Amino acid sequence: MSLKNIIVGQSGGPTAVINASLCGVIREGLSRKEDIGKIYGMIHGVEGFLEGRYMDLGEELGSRELELLRVTPAAYLGSCRFKLPEDMSSEIYPRMFAKFEEMDIGYFFYIGGNDSMDTVSKLSRYGKKAGSRIRFVGIPKTIDNDLVLTDHTPGFGSAARYVASAVREIVLDSSVYQQKSVTIIEVMGRHTGWLTASSVLARKYKGDNPALVYLPEHPFSMEGFERDVERELSRRRSVVVCVSEGIGDKEGRFICEYGQRELSSCLGREAVPGMDGGGEACLDNFGHKMLTGCGKVLERFVKERFGVKVRSVELNVGQRCCGTLASLTDVREAERAGQAAVSYALEGESGIMVAFIRKGNGDFYELEYSAVDVNQVCNQEKKVPVSWILKGGNDVGEEYAEYALPLIRGAVSLPMENGIPQYLYRKQIFPEDV
Amino acid sequence: MSLKNIIVGQSGGPTAVINASLCGVIREGLSRKEDIGKIYGMIHGVEGFLEGRYMDLGEELGSRELELLRVTPAAYLGSCRFKLPEDMSSEIYPRMFAKFEEMDIGYFFYIGGNDSMDTVSKLSRYGKKAGSRIRFVGIPKTIDNDLVLTDHTPGFGSAARYVASAVREIVLDSSVYQQKSVTIIEVMGRHTGWLTASSVLARKYKGDNPALVYLPEHPFSMEGFERDVERELSRRRSVVVCVSEGIGDKEGRFICEYGQRELSSCLGREAVPGMDGGGEACLDNFGHKMLTGCGKVLERFVKERFGVKVRSVELNVGQRCCGTLASLTDVREAERAGQAAVSYALEGESGIMVAFIRKGNGDFYELEYSAVDVNQVCNQEKKVPVSWILKGGNDVGEEYAEYALPLIRGAVSLPMENGIPQYLYRKQIFPEDV
């Protein structure tokens, strides 16, 4: 009997370490020559795979390329935001499984977040019903750190390190002038504040900036914000505020959706015309609101209310694609998660996600790997514990640093060319791919 | 006769290496014990100095602190945007010189850009007339690289390295999805495109993104932009565009000032309401327009005109305050510029700025230092040569890479604490300073 092959894909938003997990799958797959045949990669996830696009990774990538892949951000194989139909009688399922059979696939690995675990869940459930022997394993990835049943998620540590480092630099930058100023830093995070909370790691001493930190887990009020900023402006020249893009008021309205009318209402007078233009909210393929702009709304509010110098900074995609600030701990754990996925599949597991269990903390931080039921992971959301958020909702407590510090440790040594990171680029072998 | 003292200040916007120049002044000053007494630093430039705020740097900073200062971004001493009066009979001048005398100052160093060289020019001219023997020396600093009479300016190489690296990462990030998309990256640069042009260094192969690069040195037209984007969208899935914040049309109007009306006119139909809200332009203390937002204007235009996925990314203050991507070449040259300033002052020079002369290029790149007349530097602006900008104004030629590559080489080894850069913070010794 010939050896079964691997197919691996990446899905959802990029991170600094999603390729480290891919590297882990490939390396582990290559080391199990007695069990595994070829290692295929789907291009643009299940969406590209359904259109017939995949590549032979074992063929394409030598050990030098793998070393570079491990530290290259974004998604080497390309990604997708493709949701498999809820309806299990959809023709997509037999079509996909026919392709699996044609390619002699025995092991399916999907690296991604919530929505990708939904894909793993559906395929494994369909496969079980259809009597397929293919094993389906999810490898977690998200900068949001919002997956349940795992201590944390690959991608988060690097993003948190980027945010903490960038915030420290912006704090320095915003402190150089003598005049009073407010700097608002907008951090990624639709529904959870794990990443925004990492801005507290930027503090060098007690009382250091960022002075105020707001997470989506706590209802945001303009009145409270006004009081907080007023108090901080009376205490220090430069006030740095960090906010999650997804903060919302107690009615559940996103602050980024506030326009001229809401600003005027909060100010108790007409906002200056033309100060409108907060974020637009549109829906992505999964029906999530795509957010941008609460930093701008707050910038305008502060400018009108306090008349001080104010700037908003959106940390933007650097949070998820900056390889130069990747956390070595994160890169290593992401790679091992990929390796563990292959091991679990070979042991017969299917319908699972690789999860992290923390053993010890601080200098005694250690990680163990486990397999959890993917059906219990997908479409769930892990939030920052309310008890970690300080009264008033404008800061987080010591528990957070204890949790996050071990995850942002260590710097990655990146090969440079002409002063900038070399990174591994995929050859574009399909016309649709260019 | 007692030894004369040094006073040194920082002025204008922060950079990654303005503290390396400060470090150079202090180290050189300390090494000339036979010539120099104390080394004072003005807090918040001449503005804070006039209010009596300065510190004894030789006392405050040991060798460990100096090592950390050298790689700390922003401005350790604090900065200001204070323009000395044109009127040489202003009471400010005798007041300042009385302070100099009181503190037994013999050497005045000011690290900054155009406006700071204006300060050096005015003080040296006043001093000459007033019979003062104080020597006034400017040390160049600006991420904009727009100072004349010098091959390049400290601060530029690090900012260019940051931009090139961030653009490469955003290019990777924006390439992961299958759908057509346009990503617009807005780079700092009011009137000159030196920094925006560094985005071409991000290209890994011929034809790689960024596909389009627009500098303020070439008039920007929405019609040309529309044609360029249309052509690129027909060639590739992901189109990355880099623009200077200061691009303007041939009538001299900034694109960031375009509102609903101009967008509608460019589209030949009504732009969707609420799509307005391009940048606001306000004036800083020197009467410069403060710009923000041309990326947002172009984002809206592309979304309306082509209906593809579009995102704009403002690289923002990271360009000037990111220490983790500082260029080692830049740090070294900035420090040596500080040392050279002290040497020139001791040799009797005054009313000068330290300037760079390039000897050789590529692997044979070498730098010499010289002294140029500061009066010929201030209030001038060095632009990217028009011959380096490709026909159509949407890219730059090979000359740029030849010029810029030697300046972005080498990585700085930053001491880390808990995973993020340690950096040196100034003790806040004045109540106004907190």
Side-chain angles (χ1 to χ4, degrees):
Chain A
M1 204 183 90
S2 76
L3 295 174
K4 292 287 179 190
N5 302 320
I6 281 179
I7 184 101
V8 53
Q10 297 172 313
S11 172
T15 77
V17 304
I18 184 169
N19 288 331
S21 290
L22 176 61
C23 179
V25 170
I26 300 171
R27 281 180 168 167
E28 190 66 17
L30 290 173
S31 78
R32 303 288 197 107
K33 283 197 175 23
E34 68 288 5
D35 300 309
I36 287 167
K38 286 179 176 296
I39 303 167
Y40 295 114
M42 7 183 162
I43 291 172
H44 295 126
V46 289
E47 190 175 14
F49 180 72
L50 278 166
E51 294 164 6
R53 281 176 294 125
Y54 55 84
M55 63 190 287
D56 185 335
L57 288 165
E59 191 113 307
E60 195 64 45
L61 304 176
S63 65
R64 210 194 126 273
E65 281 83 15
L66 282 174
E67 199 45 55
L68 208 50
L69 174 67
R70 184 172 173 269
V71 294
T72 296
Y76 176 79
L77 289 171
S79 184
C80 69
R81 290 200 182 274
F82 183 82
K83 202 173 170 73
L84 285 174
E86 299 296 331
D87 178 6
M88 287 290 185
S89 65
S90 159
E91 60 80 37
I92 277 189
Y93 293 100
R95 187 145 62 89
M96 184 145 359
F97 276 77
K99 273 191 194 290
F100 290 153
E101 193 155 342
E102 190 184 301
M103 292 169 69
D104 215 3
I105 300 299
Y107 314 97
F108 176 102
F109 302 103
Y110 215 41
I111 314 168
N114 258 316
D115 297 320
S116 313
M117 293 312 130
D118 181 74
T119 298
V120 176
S121 160
K122 282 171 177 157
L123 289 177
S124 68
R125 280 184 283 141
Y126 180 90
K128 210 169 191 177
K129 246 178 47 188
S132 163
R133 303 188 60 174
I134 302 172
R135 290 155 197 176
F136 295 91
V137 176
I139 302 163
K141 167 247 54 155
T142 164
I143 61 165
D144 291 330
N145 200 41
D146 60 353
L147 291 176
V148 297
L149 300 186
T150 182
D151 177 76
H152 60 278
T153 314
F156 168 65
S158 295
R161 183 165 183 248
Y162 179 86
V163 170
S165 175
V167 169
R168 175 166 286 186
E169 289 170 341
I170 295 170
V171 165
L172 274 172
D173 183 275
S174 63
S175 74
V176 305
Y177 293 114
Q178 205 170 335
Q179 62 194 121
K180 291 264 178 192
S181 69
V182 175
T183 305
I184 295 156
I185 304 176
E186 185 183 319
V187 183
M188 282 178 168
R190 264 182 199 125
H191 301 121
T192 64
W194 294 102
L195 197 51
T196 304
S198 70
S199 59
V200 304
L201 309 178
R203 291 183 187 140
K204 198 165 171 101
Y205 54 87
K206 204 174 149 60
D208 190 15
N209 270 311
L212 301 166
V213 178
Y214 301 99
L215 314 188
E217 281 84 352
H218 193 280
F220 184 89
S221 91
M222 283 298 225
E223 297 71 35
F225 177 66
E226 186 177 2
R227 273 195 308 274
D228 289 346
V229 171
E230 186 159 39
R231 186 188 59 246
E232 293 304 325
L233 274 172
S234 74
R235 282 183 187 167
R236 50 177 112 215
R237 267 185 309 121
S238 163
V239 177
V240 178
V241 181
C242 294
V243 291
S244 290
E245 58 181 343
I247 50 168
D249 60 27
K250 64 180 194 297
E251 279 80 37
R253 177 123 200 250
F254 288 116
I255 301 305
C256 69
E257 294 173 320
Y258 276 30
Q260 191 84 5
R261 204 160 38 87
E262 288 84 353
L263 276 182
S264 297
S265 150
C266 297
L267 287 162
R269 61 171 166 80
E270 200 62 25
V272 172
M275 295 291 272
D276 199 9
E280 309 131 48
C282 32
L283 303 182
D284 69 13
N285 290 350
F286 285 90
H288 302 313
K289 278 189 176 165
M290 285 167 64
L291 304 177
T292 170
C294 74
K296 284 276 170 223
V297 172
L298 297 182
E299 176 184 345
R300 279 150 191 200
F301 177 76
V302 171
K303 196 176 252 168
E304 293 236 346
R305 173 60 186 81
F306 298 102
V308 295
K309 183 181 164 192
V310 50
R311 177 194 284 274
S312 68
V313 180
E314 198 185 336
L315 289 187
N316 220 311
V317 290
Q319 294 165 86
R320 67 182 194 199
C321 69
C322 181
T324 51
L325 275 165
S327 141
L328 184 59
T329 303
D330 193 24
V331 170
R332 284 182 176 153
E333 292 179 353
E335 182 176 13
R336 283 182 201 150
Q339 293 170 322
V342 175
S343 298
Y344 285 130
L346 287 176
E347 289 165 17
E349 298 273 13
S350 186
I352 58 133
M353 179 187 85
V354 175
F356 292 170
I357 302 167
R358 184 187 301 227
K359 299 284 178 185
N361 213 348
D363 291 341
F364 304 100
Y365 170 80
E366 258 182 75
L367 206 63
E368 278 184 10
Y369 299 79
S370 74
V372 297
D373 181 358
V374 77
N375 302 295
Q376 292 187 29
V377 174
C378 58
N379 307 317
Q380 301 291 317
E381 217 165 42
K382 185 177 69 178
K383 292 179 182 285
V384 176
V386 174
S387 61
W388 293 12
I389 300 175
L390 298 194
K391 213 179 142 235
N394 56 17
D395 203 350
V396 296
E398 288 299 321
E399 300 94 332
Y400 180 84
E402 215 172 293
Y403 170 81
L405 276 179
L407 315 181
I408 68 166
R409 290 223 180 109
V412 171
S413 155
L414 287 178
M416 296 280 163
E417 60 187 2
N418 286 324
I420 68 169
Q422 193 177 350
Y423 295 147
L424 185 70
Y425 282 46
R426 176 165 47 84
K427 271 190 217 149
Q428 297 176 330
I429 42 183
F430 296 93
E432 303 91 320
D433 202 27
V434 174
Chain B
M1 205 183 90
S2 77
L3 294 174
K4 291 288 181 190
N5 302 319
I6 280 178
I7 184 104
V8 55
Q10 296 174 311
S11 172
T15 77
V17 305
I18 184 170
N19 287 332
S21 290
L22 177 61
C23 179
V25 170
I26 300 171
R27 282 180 167 166
E28 190 67 16
L30 290 173
S31 78
R32 303 288 198 106
K33 283 199 176 17
E34 68 289 3
D35 300 309
I36 286 167
K38 285 178 177 299
I39 304 166
Y40 295 114
M42 6 183 163
I43 292 171
H44 296 124
V46 290
E47 191 175 15
F49 180 71
L50 279 166
E51 295 165 5
R53 280 178 294 125
Y54 55 85
M55 63 190 287
D56 185 335
L57 289 164
E59 191 113 307
E60 195 65 44
L61 304 176
S63 64
R64 210 193 127 271
E65 282 82 18
L66 283 174
E67 200 44 56
L68 208 50
L69 174 67
R70 183 172 173 267
V71 294
T72 296
Y76 176 78
L77 289 171
S79 183
C80 69
R81 291 200 182 273
F82 184 82
K83 203 172 169 75
L84 285 173
E86 299 296 330
D87 179 6
M88 286 293 185
S89 66
S90 158
E91 59 81 38
I92 277 189
Y93 293 99
R95 186 147 61 91
M96 186 152 348
F97 276 77
K99 273 191 194 291
F100 290 155
E101 193 154 342
E102 192 185 299
M103 292 169 67
D104 217 2
I105 300 298
Y107 313 97
F108 176 102
F109 302 103
Y110 215 42
I111 315 169
N114 258 317
D115 297 322
S116 313
M117 295 310 132
D118 181 73
T119 299
V120 176
S121 159
K122 282 173 177 156
L123 289 177
S124 68
R125 280 184 284 141
Y126 180 89
K128 210 170 192 175
K129 247 181 45 190
S132 163
R133 303 188 60 174
I134 301 172
R135 289 152 195 177
F136 296 90
V137 175
I139 301 163
K141 169 247 54 159
T142 164
I143 62 166
D144 292 330
N145 201 40
D146 61 351
L147 292 176
V148 298
L149 301 187
T150 183
D151 178 76
H152 59 279
T153 313
F156 168 64
S158 295
R161 183 164 183 248
Y162 179 86
V163 170
S165 175
V167 169
R168 173 165 288 186
E169 289 170 339
I170 295 170
V171 164
L172 274 172
D173 182 275
S174 62
S175 74
V176 304
Y177 293 114
Q178 206 171 334
Q179 63 194 120
K180 291 262 180 195
S181 70
V182 176
T183 306
I184 295 157
I185 304 175
E186 185 183 320
V187 183
M188 280 179 169
R190 265 182 198 122
H191 302 119
T192 64
W194 293 103
L195 197 52
T196 304
S198 69
S199 59
V200 305
L201 308 179
R203 289 181 188 141
K204 198 164 172 103
Y205 54 88
K206 206 174 145 63
D208 189 16
N209 270 313
L212 302 165
V213 179
Y214 302 98
L215 314 187
E217 281 85 351
H218 193 280
F220 184 89
S221 90
M222 283 297 227
E223 297 72 35
F225 176 65
E226 186 177 1
R227 274 196 308 273
D228 289 346
V229 172
E230 186 160 39
R231 185 187 62 245
E232 293 304 325
L233 274 172
S234 74
R235 282 182 187 168
R236 51 177 112 213
R237 266 184 311 120
S238 163
V239 177
V240 178
V241 182
C242 294
V243 291
S244 291
E245 58 180 344
I247 50 167
D249 61 27
K250 65 180 193 300
E251 279 80 35
R253 176 120 200 252
F254 288 114
I255 301 305
C256 70
E257 294 172 320
Y258 276 30
Q260 191 83 5
R261 201 160 41 86
E262 288 83 354
L263 276 182
S264 296
S265 150
C266 296
L267 287 162
R269 62 171 165 79
E270 198 64 22
V272 172
M275 295 292 272
D276 198 9
E280 311 130 47
C282 33
L283 304 182
D284 70 11
N285 291 350
F286 286 91
H288 302 313
K289 277 190 178 166
M290 285 166 63
L291 304 178
T292 171
C294 75
K296 283 277 168 218
V297 172
L298 298 181
E299 175 183 346
R300 279 149 190 200
F301 177 76
V302 170
K303 194 175 254 169
E304 292 236 348
R305 172 62 185 81
F306 297 103
V308 296
K309 182 182 164 192
V310 50
R311 177 195 283 274
S312 68
V313 181
E314 197 184 338
L315 290 188
N316 220 311
V317 291
Q319 295 166 84
R320 67 184 194 197
C321 70
C322 181
T324 52
L325 275 164
S327 142
L328 185 58
T329 304
D330 193 24
V331 170
R332 284 182 176 152
E333 292 178 353
E335 183 176 14
R336 284 182 200 149
Q339 294 170 320
V342 176
S343 298
Y344 285 130
L346 288 175
E347 288 164 17
E349 298 273 14
S350 185
I352 58 134
M353 181 188 83
V354 176
F356 291 170
I357 302 167
R358 184 185 301 231
K359 299 284 177 184
N361 214 348
D363 291 340
F364 303 99
Y365 170 80
E366 258 181 76
L367 205 63
E368 279 183 9
Y369 299 78
S370 74
V372 298
D373 182 356
V374 77
N375 302 295
Q376 292 186 29
V377 175
C378 58
N379 307 316
Q380 301 289 318
E381 217 166 41
K382 185 177 71 178
K383 291 176 183 287
V384 176
V386 174
S387 62
W388 291 12
I389 299 174
L390 297 194
K391 211 178 143 237
N394 56 17
D395 204 351
V396 296
E398 288 298 320
E399 300 95 330
Y400 180 84
E402 214 171 294
Y403 170 81
L405 275 179
L407 315 182
I408 69 166
R409 289 222 181 109
V412 172
S413 154
L414 286 178
M416 296 279 164
E417 57 185 4
N418 286 324
I420 68 168
Q422 194 178 351
Y423 295 147
L424 185 69
Y425 282 45
R426 176 165 47 85
K427 272 191 219 148
Q428 297 177 331
I429 42 182
F430 296 93
E432 303 92 320
D433 203 27
V434 175

